[in-house]
Amino acid sequence: MKMEQGMQLIDGNGKFNVDGLKDFMTATEFAQSGLSYAIVAIIGSQSSGKSTLMNQTFHTNFEEMDAYNGRSQTTKGIWIAKCSDIDPFTIAMDFEGTDSNQRGEDDTAFEKQSTLFALAIADVVLINMWYKDIGLENAASRPLLKTVFQVMKRLFKPRKKTLLFVLRDHSKTPLEYLKTALLEDIEKIWAAVAEPETLCSAPLKEFFNVEITALPHYEFQEEKFKEQVAQLRQRFVHSIYPGGLVGDRQEVEPASVFPLRAEEIWKIIKDNKDLDLPAVKVMVATVRCEEIADEKLKCFTYDEDWLKMKEAVQDGPVSGFGGAVSSILETYLSEYDREVVYFDQEVRNEKRRQLLSNALMVVRDAYDTLLMHLYSNTVKSFKTRLEQSQNEGHEYVVDIHLYSQSCMVEFDQGCEDAAIHQSEWNASKYRKKLICDMLSEMMAKYKKQITHALSKRVESLLESGERDTWASIRNLFEGNTEAAVSEFSDAAVSFNLNSSEIDTRSQHLREHARNLLEMKAREAADAGRVLMRMKDRTVPDPSLQNTFMGAKLDPLASDTWEEVSPEAITLLKPEDCKSLWMNFIEKIKPMMTGARSRQDGRRKAREGLAAAVAEIGAVGSAAVLTLLGV
């Protein structure tokens, strides 16, 4: 059986363990339970076996009293633990015992505070008492019950709270007799507690579901005790479902707010040791103002005129949206003001602020949707007008000034029309995004202009490979880039940008031009393309393979180029050029071999021709001599 470790929520001095509760929420994943959870607290006299009962019932691990050391205070303060294997998620709370010798008769404040906390925080409060106390005027449990009823009558509106009386050490007395006697005791104590004027003798049943069970002696009848505890445990399974132990509970808050709620409730209780709080006036005002505010919020949420506006704004901007919604809101806020006028001013003002905040949350999505329509339409209008004007041949900077201003005026007028009077909302986020998009349109235009001016011409200059190539590229780069930057700066004045913003975007244009130039240079410096150019431009000469290799001053022998900063971007280092040159030599070897062969052929041809000519000459001379008769 898995035992869940307890965590001290409030120590014996009344200090709330904020960090411990945060860790507890994380470790148990309590916050993920939503509304599907229950909280069970146990109160009762010191050393009455409360911790033992909680551990046996909920498989928790609260510290228990050691019987061999006698009856003394074991649980100090308030402890919580997750109940093991119970659906829904259930939290067990073990409270310090009442009437303890350690605190003494004069220090009952903590007992009253912890009792109030149990009633405020728990769905089920177990009241642990000895069965023999029933019917006794001086029983230890009577002061506790009186405190419970005083708290409920004075500080809470009628609401169902389940009190489960657990009668300990039950022996032979019939349980039905004990139930009857206990209910009579409860009714007497309830009737004796003074009534606040607002509740005029409200019956016990309007405040409590009273349940009674009994358990045998834990030490003398341990097996039977455990059997009946197992049956008691089953009552907490599906406890929040219809027909369950707390199936009729109301006003449940999400589990995620438990830490804040618990801390705030304890703070209120701790700051008022006489238990006179919240005062009846403040409590009634708080409850009633919340109810009225919830009612007005619901009426606004389902108001037909509001729903029509909400639906219409999905398709586009709605003229008069802000005024119409503000009027509807004011109607329900005025109704709230009239109905809470006699309640505590601080409370009603706070609940009004909450009402307005919640109502504005209902409106916010529609408001943002409308502003998004205004933004989208303005961007589209700006681009369309600018494009049409450019197609007609107008000056770009003049068009930017004209259409940016006119579009911004239209946007601002639309935002003013959409403004909700009761809110502090503004359209600055959308206005900033609009300006950003207009500037992006301009940046794209000037980047395109720079690309068009540089790309092909830089490629051509790099392809030609003249001695003044880089100087020509630098002049081309600087002239076109600065012209685009200057024009952009003139156009950007329309948007009231500060100098640093203009400088930042101008630098982006320069970076674009530089990146383009570097990309083209790297493309031109590609090894394959370089080799191809070298082959295309070189007349095969066998002596080439010895070039540089035997030179006394090899410019490629260094790691860096002379007069070039090490921080500079270098496309081809000396070793890269040397590698290219060696590769080039290898590539043209077939060409050089062919050239040698052709040279040898031509030499041999010349020598053969000379021999033939000589022979012809000799033959010719003999013939002449013969003819002459020599």
Side-chain angles (χ1 to χ4, degrees):
M1 179 177 66
K2 181 181 179 182
M3 303 295 287
E4 297 291 345
Q5 188 67 38
M7 185 276 294
Q8 190 176 41
L9 179 64
I10 299 170
D11 67 18
N13 296 319
K15 183 179 179 181
F16 195 96
N17 188 356
V18 176
D19 293 335
L21 181 55
K22 181 179 179 180
D23 294 340
F24 176 84
M25 296 292 291
T26 301
T28 61
E29 298 183 347
F30 180 26
Q32 282 68 51
S33 300
L35 302 180
S36 183
Y37 70 92
I39 298 177
V40 182
I42 188 167
I43 58 178
S45 299
Q46 175 185 300
S47 305
S48 60
K50 300 186 301 300
S51 300
T52 301
L53 176 59
M54 296 298 274
N55 291 340
Q56 292 291 326
T57 305
F58 300 110
H59 300 171
T60 52
N61 195 24
F62 296 122
E63 184 180 0
E64 300 178 12
M65 181 188 70
D66 184 351
Y68 292 101
N69 292 329
R71 295 187 178 276
S72 62
Q73 188 179 51
T74 302
T75 301
K76 296 181 180 180
I78 301 173
W79 293 67
I80 63 172
K82 174 187 175 183
C83 301
S84 179
D85 302 325
I86 289 184
D87 178 27
F89 192 110
T90 301
I91 293 293
M93 304 185 71
D94 190 12
F95 282 67
E96 178 179 316
T98 60
D99 63 17
S100 67
N101 293 329
Q102 281 77 4
R103 288 197 179 271
E105 295 180 359
D106 296 332
D107 190 6
T108 60
F110 186 83
E111 296 177 4
K112 293 181 180 180
Q113 291 166 357
S114 60
T115 299
L116 173 55
F117 186 71
L119 291 168
I121 210 76
D123 299 300
V124 181
V125 177
L126 301 182
I127 298 181
N128 194 59
M129 59 183 294
W130 289 292
Y131 89 99
K132 60 182 178 61
D133 280 353
I134 297 175
L136 299 179
E137 289 294 331
N138 60 346
S141 59
R142 293 185 74 85
L144 174 61
L145 289 177
K146 185 177 181 181
T147 298
V148 169
F149 294 157
Q150 285 175 336
V151 166
M152 290 301 292
K153 277 194 174 185
R154 294 181 60 199
L155 304 179
F156 294 91
K157 68 176 183 178
R159 55 191 298 183
K160 290 292 186 178
K161 181 75 64 175
T162 297
L163 295 183
L164 177 53
F165 288 84
V166 181
L167 308 181
R168 302 297 296 274
D169 299 353
H170 177 227
S171 57
K172 297 180 179 180
T173 307
L175 180 58
E176 291 304 317
Y177 171 82
L178 294 175
K179 286 183 177 180
T180 301
L182 178 58
L183 287 174
E184 290 178 358
D185 277 357
I186 292 173
E187 290 289 354
K188 289 179 182 179
I189 298 171
W190 178 261
V193 174
E195 299 282 355
E197 295 179 0
T198 54
L199 298 179
C200 297
S201 301
L204 176 70
K205 63 182 181 180
E206 289 189 14
F207 284 83
F208 297 112
N209 289 323
V210 177
E211 301 283 343
I212 302 174
T213 189
L215 295 174
H217 199 289
Y218 176 60
E219 294 180 2
F220 300 153
Q221 298 173 284
E222 184 175 352
E223 291 301 321
K224 187 175 181 180
F225 177 88
K226 291 182 176 180
E227 290 177 6
Q228 294 189 20
V229 163
Q231 296 174 13
L232 176 62
R233 174 183 171 84
Q234 288 303 309
R235 301 190 65 178
F236 292 92
V237 176
H238 300 163
S239 61
I240 64 173
Y241 303 145
L245 195 58
V246 289
D248 58 348
R249 67 176 182 172
Q250 300 174 351
E251 303 176 10
V252 184
E253 295 181 283
S256 58
V257 303
F258 175 79
L260 181 62
R261 177 169 171 258
E263 183 182 5
E264 184 64 19
I265 288 174
W266 180 249
K267 181 178 182 299
I268 293 172
I269 294 171
K270 187 70 169 58
D271 290 345
N272 292 267
K273 294 184 178 180
D274 60 357
L275 209 58
D276 186 23
L277 72 113
V280 173
K281 178 181 177 181
V282 173
M283 188 60 195
V284 171
T286 301
V287 173
R288 190 69 188 114
C289 289
E290 283 181 353
E291 292 174 348
I292 295 171
D294 289 344
E295 177 190 352
K296 299 310 171 188
L297 178 62
K298 183 176 181 180
C299 290
F300 169 74
T301 303
Y302 293 100
D303 182 273
E304 292 185 2
D305 292 335
W306 154 244
L307 291 176
K308 289 177 182 178
M309 298 292 290
K310 179 182 178 182
E311 182 178 359
V313 83
Q314 303 305 314
D315 299 324
V318 176
S319 179
F321 174 87
V325 174
S326 298
S327 177
I328 298 171
L329 273 173
E330 191 58 37
T331 296
Y332 292 108
L333 289 171
S334 298
E335 289 181 5
Y336 169 87
D337 290 338
R338 287 195 298 271
E339 294 182 31
V340 302
V341 66
Y342 295 110
F343 292 116
D344 180 83
Q345 183 177 359
E346 184 177 346
V347 172
R348 67 175 188 254
N349 288 347
E350 173 60 25
K351 299 308 173 185
R352 190 187 197 277
R353 286 191 291 269
Q354 292 179 7
L355 168 59
L356 176 58
S357 176
N358 291 334
L360 289 176
M361 288 177 63
V362 174
V363 175
R364 188 66 199 234
D365 283 346
Y367 173 79
D368 284 342
T369 299
L370 189 150
L371 291 189
M372 181 57 73
H373 285 312
L374 287 175
Y375 153 77
S376 300
N377 292 350
T378 305
V379 170
K380 183 178 180 180
S381 175
F382 173 75
K383 291 182 178 180
T384 300
R385 295 179 191 179
L386 187 60
E387 182 179 356
Q388 290 175 348
S389 184
Q390 287 294 289
N391 290 338
E392 296 171 2
H394 296 162
E395 185 180 346
Y396 185 78
V397 174
V398 174
D399 283 346
I400 287 291
H401 286 313
L402 176 63
Y403 297 124
S404 63
Q405 293 301 312
S406 61
C407 287
M408 290 305 301
V409 168
E410 293 171 8
F411 176 79
D412 290 341
Q413 289 173 344
C415 293
E416 184 177 353
D417 182 69
I420 306 300
H421 303 161
Q422 294 87 354
S423 77
E424 297 179 356
W425 300 337
N426 61 66
S428 60
K429 177 178 70 174
Y430 295 92
R431 198 178 198 278
K432 184 180 294 184
K433 181 174 175 59
L434 177 58
I435 292 175
C436 184
D437 281 3
M438 290 181 175
L439 287 170
S440 295
E441 184 74 12
M442 288 172 52
M443 290 289 288
K445 185 265 182 189
Y446 287 111
K447 285 182 179 179
K448 184 176 180 181
Q449 176 179 311
I450 291 172
T451 301
H452 179 74
L454 296 182
S455 185
K456 294 297 183 183
R457 296 174 67 184
V458 169
E459 288 180 2
S460 178
L461 288 169
L462 290 171
E463 187 69 26
S464 66
E466 303 296 338
R467 289 185 177 276
D468 62 348
T469 290
W470 286 110
S472 300
I473 289 175
R474 182 180 297 107
N475 293 335
L476 179 67
F477 166 78
E478 292 177 351
N480 285 277
T481 300
E482 292 309 312
V485 168
S486 177
E487 189 175 327
F488 169 80
S489 299
D490 291 341
V493 173
S494 303
F495 301 99
N496 298 320
L497 302 179
N498 57 46
S499 59
S500 64
E501 291 175 308
I502 294 178
D503 290 344
T504 297
R505 287 177 169 81
S506 297
Q507 187 60 31
H508 288 168
L509 290 176
R510 293 188 180 95
E511 290 173 357
H512 170 75
R514 183 177 180 83
N515 291 338
L516 174 66
L517 180 59
E518 183 178 338
M519 180 186 71
K520 293 300 179 183
R522 290 192 182 280
E523 289 176 356
D526 176 73
R529 297 182 67 172
V530 171
L531 283 174
M532 187 178 297
R533 290 195 189 93
M534 293 173 72
K535 288 171 65 177
D536 290 345
R537 299 183 183 188
T538 303
V539 177
D541 185 348
S543 65
L544 284 174
Q545 60 183 329
N546 297 321
T547 304
F548 297 138
M549 300 301 107
K552 292 182 178 180
L553 297 176
D554 183 357
L556 304 183
S558 175
D559 292 335
T560 59
W561 297 111
E562 292 184 7
E563 299 180 0
V564 175
S565 170
E567 289 78 19
I569 297 176
T570 304
L571 299 178
L572 290 173
K573 297 179 180 180
E575 59 263 31
D576 297 328
C577 292
K578 192 169 187 177
S579 176
L580 278 170
W581 179 254
M582 299 300 295
N583 198 355
F584 168 69
I585 294 300
E586 290 298 319
K587 294 288 185 183
I588 66 173
K589 275 185 178 180
M591 297 172 61
M592 292 190 293
T593 301
R596 288 195 187 94
S597 298
R598 289 192 293 272
Q599 287 177 348
D600 290 343
R602 286 196 293 270
R603 180 176 55 76
K604 291 178 179 180
R606 286 196 300 270
E607 290 175 353
L609 178 62
V613 170
E615 184 177 349
I616 292 172
V619 172
S621 297
V624 170
L625 291 175
T626 301
L627 289 175
L628 293 176
V630 179

